[in-house]
Amino acid sequence: MTGTPAPFTVDDYRARMERAARAAAEAGLAGVLVAPGPDLVWLTGYAPPAATERLTLLVLAAGRDPVLVVPTLEAPDAEKAVGAPALTLRDWTDGKDPYAITAPLLDASGLPHSLKGDRVAPIGVSDNTWALHLLGLQKELPGTSYVSLTEGLPMLRAVKDAAELDRLAAAGAAADDTYEEILKVAFAGRRESDVAGDLADLLRRFGHEQVDFTVVGSGPNGADPHHEAGSRVIEHGDTVVLDFGGLKYGYGSDTSRTVHVGEPTAEEQRVHDIVRAAQQAAFEAVRPGAACQDIDRAARALITEAGYGDRFIHRTGHGIGVTTHEPPYMIEGEEQPLVPGMCFSVEPGIYLPGRFGVRVEDIVTVTEDGGRRLNDTSREMAVVN
């Protein structure tokens, strides 16, 4: 992709809402309720101006027009959303019961008739729905039950279309540019937080509108996969894990590389070589029809054979899209088959407590005949100053 991508259209959002309603019916759900958050943005293009205790809820069900319930004071903003023409807005004013207003929409979607034996089909609810709102709906509709979208529709956003893949590729290229530039800065004698600040500045320079994380784990801190960059001063001889990403054009980047301040020892180089080989093996396992767990197994088998199996302490990967972590997950027990258009990280690691850690990570998308990396920087251990 060159230049700024074309914005999503009302037809894009209409198709997504129709797909979600159809997928819910196929999964045995009576419908879908979507609160403010990434699912609502992906489905409608609407992001409420701020987190609020007032109920905002998108109601989707097969065979019914989408309805977005919003507070009256936020209705003008909702009407401006690109996807708004594809749905009906139902506003409510302070002093009214929003659950009493929303409940008929659920009944109208056919809940009393969506029986399996003597049970009403459950409703899918976006993961970040406030308990306050879910309890309010349960009180109004005591016969209903609910499941999270991660449980009920885990693959809803997993398969990306061409426009989404373009955005993910652009985010990956910006992360690559960031890595190439960070190799030019001084590491030794500076705090981890200083380098983390450089990473954040570079991500923004290369077009990220949001920076989600900048992990800089030097020396023993690198053995903590989610180490928060702190005040430790990076020293000559340190192995340093860099893991950074955020959103560009609304879609995520996430990449990890491990560098060394000065020349690495034979052991440090060997551990890095094992992780790099494991990452390559996992990438080569990516193909349509393979199970998510196959990607984890490919990386884990190589690391275990090398004697570090107990030091690979996290899953091999996670999906990425409008959030930097989402389904599918590359982990043992996940039998979901890979489908062209799925995007996820491939990030094995080895972590030696009190000493150092190593991680190598790319974002990968499934193609018709295998996989394609969205990160192209060298996976060798770079030597920095």
Side-chain angles (χ1 to χ4, degrees), residues 35-247:
D39 288 315
L40 186 63
V41 173
W42 183 79
L43 286 163
T44 70
Y46 176 51
T52 175
E53 75 283 359
R54 293 183 174 93
L55 178 72
T56 295
L57 206 62
L58 175 68
V59 182
L60 301 175
R64 301 283 176 171
D65 292 335
V67 178
L68 181 61
V69 179
V70 296
T72 300
L73 78 168
E74 294 176 6
D77 289 326
E79 290 171 349
K80 296 174 186 176
V82 176
L87 51 78
T88 298
L89 283 176
R90 186 75 56 85
D91 66 316
W92 62 276
T93 59
D94 285 351
K96 301 292 185 180
D97 183 351
Y99 311 113
I101 293 170
T102 306
L105 301 175
L106 302 180
D107 284 338
S109 69
L111 290 181
H113 309 290
S114 302
L115 301 178
K116 292 185 176 181
D118 60 351
R119 295 183 60 191
V120 176
I123 306 169
V125 181
S126 57
D127 294 359
N128 53 343
T129 303
W130 284 26
L132 170 72
H133 300 320
L134 193 56
L135 292 170
L137 289 171
Q138 286 180 313
K139 183 178 180 181
E140 194 71 25
L141 294 166
T144 56
S145 62
Y146 304 84
V147 297
S148 73
L149 287 188
T150 290
E151 178 184 350
L153 292 177
M155 296 297 111
L156 179 62
R157 304 193 325 249
V159 179
K160 275 64 179 179
D161 62 25
E164 292 181 293
L165 289 173
D166 281 346
R167 286 163 169 78
L168 283 161
D176 283 355
D177 290 340
T178 295
Y179 177 66
E180 296 289 1
E181 289 298 312
I182 203 68
L183 295 179
K184 301 174 184 178
V185 310
F187 279 68
R190 302 176 68 212
R191 295 172 299 180
E192 293 173 337
S193 57
D194 295 330
V195 177
D198 290 340
L199 285 170
D201 290 344
L202 287 165
L203 285 169
R204 293 189 184 96
R205 183 203 300 179
F206 292 115
H208 279 62
E209 66 268 12
Q210 177 177 310
V211 175
D212 287 341
F213 50 90
T214 52
V215 173
V216 180
S218 64
N221 289 340
D224 176 1
H226 284 170
H227 172 68
E228 294 263 349
S231 60
R232 184 182 185 275
V233 175
I234 301 170
E235 301 174 356
H236 186 83
D238 278 347
T239 301
V240 185
V241 177
L242 305 173
D243 183 357
F244 50 93
L247 300 182

